[in-house]
Amino acid sequence: MNQEHVQQLEAAIQAVAQRKVSNFYFVACGGSLANVTPAQYILDREIEIPSAAYSSNEFIHRSPKALGPSSVVITCSHSGNTPETVAATAFAREKGALTICLTNLVDSPLWEAAEFKLHYNYAPYGEALRGEETSMAILYRLVFGILQTLYPNEKYANAISSIENGLHGVYERNKALTLDAAKAFGRNYKREKLIYTMASGINYSVAYSFAICLLQEMQWIHSSAIHSGEYFHGPFEITDFDVPFIVIKGLGETRPLDDRAYDFCVKYSDKTILIDAETFDLEGISPDVRSYFTNLVAGVVLRQYAQHLSEETGHALSVRRYMWKMEY
Amino acid sequence: MNQEHVQQLEAAIQAVAQRKVSNFYFVACGGSLANVTPAQYILDREIEIPSAAYSSNEFIHRSPKALGPSSVVITCSHSGNTPETVAATAFAREKGALTICLTNLVDSPLWEAAEFKLHYNYAPYGEALRGEETSMAILYRLVFGILQTLYPNEKYANAISSIENGLHGVYERNKALTLDAAKAFGRNYKREKLIYTMASGINYSVAYSFAICLLQEMQWIHSSAIHSGEYFHGPFEITDFDVPFIVIKGLGETRPLDDRAYDFCVKYSDKTILIDAETFDLEGISPDVRSYFTNLVAGVVLRQYAQHLSEETGHALSVRRYMWKMEY
């Protein structure tokens, strides 16, 4: 991790530590919202201070009454230009909240709007990119850094060293491990018009981003992210032999929900695709925090699935019909 | 409202008032989760005490660290037999939380699990049912009753009297007003294999329940509830002339999100169906709380849409292939 990132993180973490915090808000849109939501899950499990995640415009218009000087608002936009997220950051800052942004673009409108600014690196397919410099790594460094500062703990130290020393290798090894599966997915599912995704707990955000960004946005394939626990209370009735589902099974606490959903789904759909964190190579991630890292690995694995689907459909992941092409 | 309901509500409200509450949790599955979520929205806007909504099994397995004796946990299951919700109620009670359940079935396992118990009435299509005795009316009486007890206020008194005196007539009149539109919806959309729903704020829960209960569960039609603000960050790329969307426009604070999504959607999809709260007859609901009641009316209106869709598809709303027919 370079010095610039270390200094930015340290400044943000110290600012949080010096404030009497009554709540955390994670605010972003689309894929960036999916990216920040796992941090809310981690805080929910680890501390008693409440936290919530909102889509940026919902946050502004809902205007939660608890937003104020004792709030920490963490926002994220890759381009740094997402108008709703820039506005949400300015809105939170006006209310006196401590604002921290994550973005790929230094000096962007988001960068200017937030009091504390965290830059992350990015390469579209991650080839030349160090895993510990991506948005998720910076976010996790922030969250576990805050936890470690407020409640020093071996587990949090382990999480931080896992990001620093383990994450990059884990990404590379699991991409290699799942390359054949990704190619088979592309070949076998290239004619599908609809693919559901399913997960729970910290992995739900991956099901959501795969549904809305990779399938709907980048492949024009219909989708919906179904929560593994909600599946049995409505959605499971559309399960049939020819309806495709991608089921992500996590590790640890919410895995029983995913097991149950998968067991039912695979019985009635011949097109059930399993992404199972138990098959991931997580060497380098400390065992006591592995359940918090499965979503990062599932995200990288599924990105490779989408890449090979795209090669088979002939529809490049970069093609859009509306986004960036018009006013909306 | 009958005396039994009044006494049950009074006991629950007084119990909340006598406790130092640090957080509220709303916990249920599927349609019942959709039903309780609007209460979380109302609390988010009205008070600084944090609140959150979870699917029952997610709640148990996630096990939020803030859950404890200063928590109020409100659970709901129509049958009173939903195993995850019964377990979530018992789990919360073991942690010392104040538990309040809503159910149609007195003496059900859920009724036994919760410390405070609220019964509601139900008729499948609402014909002979008084609007002020339904699950939503009882939930709103509870929430506005808590608010009124903690922070006495004319607005909360108006909300309570709107439930008592206005809701039933509003339901009846808006069903009559939208009957022709419901029949046209059934005729025109009976061959669709997929229908998206879209809303924001307090109405998102209606988009969600229509997608997972009415369309997926009861009609085997593919669906996904898209948040109006999230639409532009992925999902809008699947919009096309032949892709159906039901867009719910609320009143008040989050309506600008719905306006923007509708304006885009209707431009590119020839199958955009609008449910607009501005066209509802809300006489009898106090103007200062109308934005909190649009979801109730949209739910009743859309139930009638589903009924007429069902008549045209020949697929009765009561037909299931898995639910209640096997172990899962």
Side-chain angles (χ1 to χ4, degrees):
Chain A
M1 179 170 276
N2 70 38
Q3 271 313 106
E4 174 211 50
H5 290 150
V6 171
Q7 286 164 9
Q8 290 169 359
L9 280 163
E10 193 53 32
I13 291 166
Q14 285 310 319
V16 174
Q18 283 157 28
R19 190 167 293 214
K20 184 168 161 36
V21 178
S22 67
N23 49 34
F24 288 91
Y25 294 108
F26 296 92
V27 179
C29 293
S32 290
L33 176 59
N35 278 352
V36 295
T37 302
Q40 193 278 323
Y41 181 89
I42 294 169
L43 293 189
D44 230 7
R45 282 196 51 88
E46 296 293 331
I47 61 173
E48 291 184 18
I49 300 170
S51 56
Y54 293 99
S55 187
S56 304
N57 237 354
E58 175 83 23
F59 180 69
I60 296 169
H61 289 265
R62 179 185 289 230
S63 187
K65 191 153 183 175
L67 173 64
S70 63
S71 305
V72 174
V73 178
I74 297 165
T75 59
C76 180
S77 159
H78 180 68
S79 67
N81 285 307
T82 308
E84 301 97 309
T85 307
V86 175
T89 308
F91 170 73
R93 200 168 173 180
E94 275 167 32
K95 294 266 190 183
L98 174 63
T99 51
I100 303 170
C101 76
L102 289 87
T103 179
N104 181 237
L105 191 61
V106 171
D107 296 335
S108 59
L110 182 62
W111 191 268
E112 298 304 326
E115 189 178 359
F116 292 90
K117 310 134 194 294
L118 306 178
H119 172 252
Y120 61 77
N121 285 331
Y122 177 74
Y125 306 115
E127 295 84 353
L129 182 66
R130 296 296 306 174
E132 68 272 21
E133 296 178 357
T134 59
S135 59
M136 294 307 292
I138 299 291
L139 175 72
Y140 270 41
R141 277 291 301 251
L142 173 67
V143 166
F144 284 109
I146 291 169
L147 289 173
Q148 175 69 346
T149 303
L150 296 179
Y151 316 96
N153 186 313
E154 192 187 348
K155 187 167 78 167
Y156 303 145
N158 289 343
I160 293 166
S161 81
S162 296
I163 300 163
E164 279 297 285
N165 306 314
L167 202 52
H168 187 71
V170 164
Y171 283 164
E172 293 304 306
R173 295 199 307 280
N174 284 285
K175 277 168 65 179
L177 270 174
T178 57
L179 179 62
D180 288 344
K183 288 180 177 171
F185 172 73
R187 276 195 310 276
N188 296 335
Y189 290 87
K190 65 185 170 194
R191 300 203 213 291
E192 298 299 340
K193 300 301 173 208
L194 176 147
I195 301 172
Y196 284 109
T197 64
M198 188 144 61
S200 68
I202 201 163
N203 292 295
Y204 180 76
S205 61
V206 182
Y208 181 70
S209 66
F210 197 77
I212 71 158
C213 297
L214 279 308
L215 293 174
Q216 290 181 311
E217 175 184 328
M218 301 186 194
Q219 289 290 288
W220 304 346
I221 291 172
H222 296 297
S223 189
S224 179
I226 298 169
H227 183 276
S228 308
E230 288 287 280
Y231 178 57
F232 295 99
H233 299 278
F236 79 147
E237 280 284 332
I238 44 78
T239 311
D240 208 340
F241 72 96
D242 60 349
V243 178
F245 286 83
I246 297 174
V247 184
I248 306 169
K249 284 193 190 188
L251 291 178
E253 57 275 2
T254 70
R255 184 175 176 90
L257 279 72
D258 308 326
D259 281 338
R260 182 178 173 222
Y262 177 76
D263 288 349
F264 187 92
C265 193
V266 76
K267 201 161 151 189
Y268 296 100
S269 163
D270 298 338
K271 297 183 174 178
T272 308
I273 299 134
L274 177 61
I275 307 290
D276 186 351
E278 274 197 351
T279 68
F280 293 165
D281 173 355
L282 297 174
E283 191 66 38
I285 308 293
S286 182
D288 53 352
V289 291
R290 280 189 184 169
S291 69
Y292 291 155
F293 283 77
T294 55
N295 52 312
L296 306 191
V297 182
V300 166
V301 165
L302 279 169
R303 176 83 197 192
Q304 185 167 256
Y305 273 52
Q307 182 57 34
H308 287 279
L309 182 63
S310 155
E311 287 173 19
E312 296 283 347
T313 59
H315 182 130
L317 295 177
S318 58
V319 171
R320 302 288 187 283
R321 45 184 162 186
Y322 310 121
M323 194 177 270
W324 314 313
K325 296 201 162 169
M326 54 185 71
E327 294 279 323
Y328 47 83
Chain B
M1 178 171 274
N2 71 39
Q3 272 311 106
E4 174 211 52
H5 290 149
V6 171
Q7 287 164 8
Q8 290 169 0
L9 279 163
E10 195 52 33
I13 290 165
Q14 286 310 320
V16 174
Q18 282 156 28
R19 192 168 292 214
K20 185 170 160 35
V21 179
S22 67
N23 48 35
F24 289 90
Y25 294 109
F26 296 91
V27 179
C29 293
S32 290
L33 176 59
N35 278 352
V36 295
T37 303
Q40 193 278 324
Y41 181 88
I42 294 169
L43 292 189
D44 230 7
R45 283 196 49 89
E46 296 293 330
I47 61 173
E48 292 183 19
I49 300 170
S51 57
Y54 294 98
S55 187
S56 303
N57 237 353
E58 174 83 23
F59 180 69
I60 297 169
H61 290 266
R62 179 186 289 229
S63 187
K65 192 155 184 174
L67 173 64
S70 63
S71 305
V72 174
V73 178
I74 296 164
T75 58
C76 181
S77 158
H78 180 67
S79 67
N81 286 306
T82 309
E84 302 98 307
T85 307
V86 176
T89 308
F91 170 72
R93 200 168 172 180
E94 275 167 33
K95 294 265 189 183
L98 174 63
T99 51
I100 303 170
C101 76
L102 288 89
T103 179
N104 181 237
L105 191 61
V106 171
D107 295 337
S108 60
L110 182 62
W111 191 268
E112 298 304 325
E115 189 177 359
F116 292 90
K117 309 132 196 295
L118 306 179
H119 172 252
Y120 61 78
N121 285 331
Y122 177 75
Y125 307 115
E127 295 84 354
L129 183 66
R130 295 296 306 174
E132 67 272 23
E133 295 177 357
T134 58
S135 59
M136 295 308 292
I138 299 291
L139 174 73
Y140 270 42
R141 278 290 302 250
L142 173 67
V143 166
F144 284 108
I146 291 169
L147 289 172
Q148 175 70 345
T149 304
L150 296 178
Y151 317 96
N153 186 313
E154 194 188 346
K155 187 167 76 169
Y156 303 144
N158 289 343
I160 292 166
S161 81
S162 297
I163 301 163
E164 278 298 285
N165 306 314
L167 202 53
H168 187 71
V170 165
Y171 283 165
E172 294 304 306
R173 295 199 306 279
N174 285 284
K175 277 168 66 178
L177 270 174
T178 57
L179 179 62
D180 288 344
K183 288 179 177 172
F185 172 73
R187 277 196 308 277
N188 296 335
Y189 291 87
K190 65 186 171 194
R191 300 203 213 290
E192 299 299 339
K193 301 300 174 208
L194 176 147
I195 301 172
Y196 284 109
T197 64
M198 188 145 61
S200 69
I202 201 163
N203 292 296
Y204 180 76
S205 61
V206 182
Y208 180 70
S209 67
F210 197 77
I212 71 159
C213 297
L214 280 308
L215 293 174
Q216 290 182 311
E217 176 184 326
M218 301 187 194
Q219 289 291 288
W220 305 347
I221 291 173
H222 296 297
S223 189
S224 180
I226 298 170
H227 183 275
S228 308
E230 288 286 281
Y231 177 58
F232 296 100
H233 299 278
F236 80 147
E237 280 284 332
I238 43 78
T239 311
D240 209 341
F241 71 94
D242 59 349
V243 178
F245 286 82
I246 297 173
V247 183
I248 306 168
K249 285 193 189 186
L251 290 179
E253 56 275 2
T254 71
R255 184 175 176 90
L257 280 72
D258 309 325
D259 281 337
R260 182 179 173 220
Y262 177 75
D263 288 348
F264 186 93
C265 194
V266 77
K267 201 162 153 188
Y268 296 100
S269 163
D270 299 337
K271 296 183 174 178
T272 307
I273 299 133
L274 177 61
I275 307 290
D276 186 351
E278 274 197 351
T279 68
F280 294 165
D281 173 355
L282 296 174
E283 190 66 35
I285 308 293
S286 183
D288 53 353
V289 291
R290 282 190 182 168
S291 69
Y292 291 155
F293 283 78
T294 56
N295 51 312
L296 306 190
V297 182
V300 166
V301 166
L302 279 168
R303 176 83 198 192
Q304 184 168 257
Y305 273 52
Q307 182 56 33
H308 287 279
L309 182 65
S310 154
E311 287 173 19
E312 296 283 346
T313 59
H315 181 129
L317 295 177
S318 58
V319 172
R320 304 288 187 282
R321 45 184 161 186
Y322 309 121
M323 193 176 272
W324 315 313
K325 296 201 164 170
M326 54 184 71
E327 294 280 321
Y328 47 82

